[in-house]
Amino acid sequence: MACPSGAGRWEVVVGNSSRERAGHGAPAVSVAVAAAALYARAASSLLRPGLPLLAAAPLAFASSAIVRGVAAFFLAWLGAFKVALLAAGRGPLDPALPVLPFLFTALLPVKLRRGGAAGAMSEAKAAPSLASCAVKAAVMAALVGLYRLNARLHLYARLALYGVHTYCFLDLLLPCIAAAAPALGMETEPQFDRPYLASLLRDFWGRRWNLMVSAILRPSVYDPVRARAGGAAGVLASFAVSGAMHEAMVCYLSLRWPPGGGMAAFFALHGACCVAEGWCARRWAARRPPRAVATVGVGLFVAGTSFWLFFPALLKDGVEERFLDEWAAVAAFFLDAG
């Protein structure tokens, strides 16, 4: 998952013809998206000019499902929500920011860290270690090799590999993007906090997994709904919006419409379970299972429901084959470079 200006580096791995097709459009898209973000910075009270361009920008990367999916996540989801929050005077964007930090925050999945003790305490977690990056890169390389055996693997084994790959990819890419912030004189907040240690489903989604999404949904959906209808309604609304945006991501990946509904069902189920978990925790606070048991239970629930509802949405319309081909091309590129 790279920013639009880095699309050329990704396109080189999917063949010369793909690189030529995407190379003509990528610079123009990058300039247009940057212009839209700067426009929003200068006139944050106006919504209409910024959002359609951010939503359409990922479609310029028609030759690569990986790059298109990344651009959709960065721009059509997070970027559009940030611009909408800016127009409402909320969210991570601030018109007072200098141009480069504003663009960095608007176009990438990062959130600037506020000063204070809390920021200092989380500084060590924000920067990925070289060892951690190397381990995740090695795991991804091993998984790409295993994908050659996909025809012999049980469906659930394949889905488990995809789940590990997704986590390693995101937890390698997002912190590495955030690590570029010091070059612009900025400090960013961490993107993940060891989600495999979550002992509550609410802890997994709210404080450990893809924290940039939580930071966007909280002021844009949860807080307004909670103020009017209560905390449970805020949780359900947040998961409903997340499900809708994941359905949109699948459409960007497959270039097919309408969506199948599996992603929406997955997040609706998890939202309802988070509400039920909170109710049970208040009613039977003294009867919580041991932390180790609860952590295993959360992991099994997330994995089981992902196998049932989440990943099947990515196995249709040729998306799985496209991903496997592109990751094989990525591996071949690095082998050739080596």
Side-chain angles (χ1 to χ4, degrees):
M1 294 185 176
C3 65
S5 61
R9 293 198 302 272
W10 283 91
E11 289 299 326
V12 73
V13 303
V14 296
N16 290 334
S17 61
S18 296
R19 178 178 58 195
E20 291 170 0
R21 288 195 301 270
H24 295 300
V29 171
S30 301
V31 172
V33 170
L38 287 175
Y39 181 88
R41 175 177 179 267
S44 59
S45 62
L46 300 177
L47 271 177
R48 187 167 297 175
L51 297 186
L53 181 58
L54 290 171
L59 299 177
F61 305 103
S63 59
S64 172
I66 294 175
V67 178
R68 189 169 60 251
V70 171
F73 176 55
F74 284 14
L75 304 177
W77 184 355
L78 296 183
F81 271 62
K82 289 176 184 177
V83 172
L85 287 170
L86 173 64
R90 309 177 68 182
L93 295 180
D94 185 348
L97 284 172
V99 171
L100 285 179
F102 182 91
L103 286 175
F104 190 84
T105 310
L107 305 182
L108 296 174
V110 296
K111 180 183 177 185
L112 296 185
R113 184 187 301 149
R114 306 299 180 186
M121 289 174 62
S122 63
E123 183 173 358
K125 292 195 295 184
S129 68
L130 289 178
S132 174
C133 291
V135 168
K136 292 181 176 66
V139 169
M140 289 172 60
L143 291 175
V144 171
L146 284 174
Y147 292 155
R148 299 174 193 167
L149 306 175
N150 253 13
R152 307 178 192 174
L153 295 177
H154 189 276
L155 174 62
Y156 287 172
R158 284 164 49 205
L159 296 182
L161 295 181
Y162 296 158
V164 174
H165 193 155
T166 300
Y167 170 66
C168 288
F169 184 40
L170 291 175
D171 202 26
L172 177 64
L173 176 70
L174 298 184
C176 287
I177 291 174
L184 299 175
M186 302 183 299
E187 292 183 350
T188 58
E189 296 184 355
Q191 306 298 311
F192 288 88
D193 185 11
R194 299 167 296 175
Y196 46 84
L197 296 182
S199 59
L200 293 170
L201 197 59
R202 293 169 297 160
D203 184 42
F204 177 87
W205 289 115
R207 290 182 286 273
R208 292 186 179 274
W209 178 264
N210 206 346
L211 300 179
M212 187 67 247
V213 171
S214 298
I216 290 296
L217 290 176
R218 190 171 291 113
S220 62
V221 180
Y222 177 76
D223 289 342
V225 174
R226 180 188 181 188
R228 291 166 174 77
V235 171
L236 294 175
S238 298
F239 275 92
V241 170
S242 182
M245 295 311 300
H246 277 81
E247 293 285 359
M249 298 301 103
V250 173
C251 292
Y252 278 110
L253 289 172
S254 64
L255 297 179
R256 298 288 182 93
W257 182 266
M263 293 285 189
F266 174 83
F267 284 97
L269 174 62
H270 277 250
C273 290
C274 284
V275 171
E277 183 185 73
W279 183 83
C280 292
R282 291 190 298 271
R283 187 175 180 86
W284 298 297
R287 300 183 184 180
R288 286 188 59 185
R291 183 178 181 85
V293 174
T295 299
V296 171
V298 169
L300 290 175
F301 181 78
V302 172
T305 53
S306 297
F307 292 175
W308 173 32
L309 295 170
F310 187 93
F311 285 111
L314 300 176
L315 303 182
K316 300 185 298 184
D317 300 322
V319 175
E320 180 183 17
E321 291 76 12
R322 228 170 295 162
F323 269 129
L324 294 178
D325 289 344
E326 289 189 28
W327 280 115
V330 171
F333 170 76
F334 281 108
L335 286 175
D336 292 343

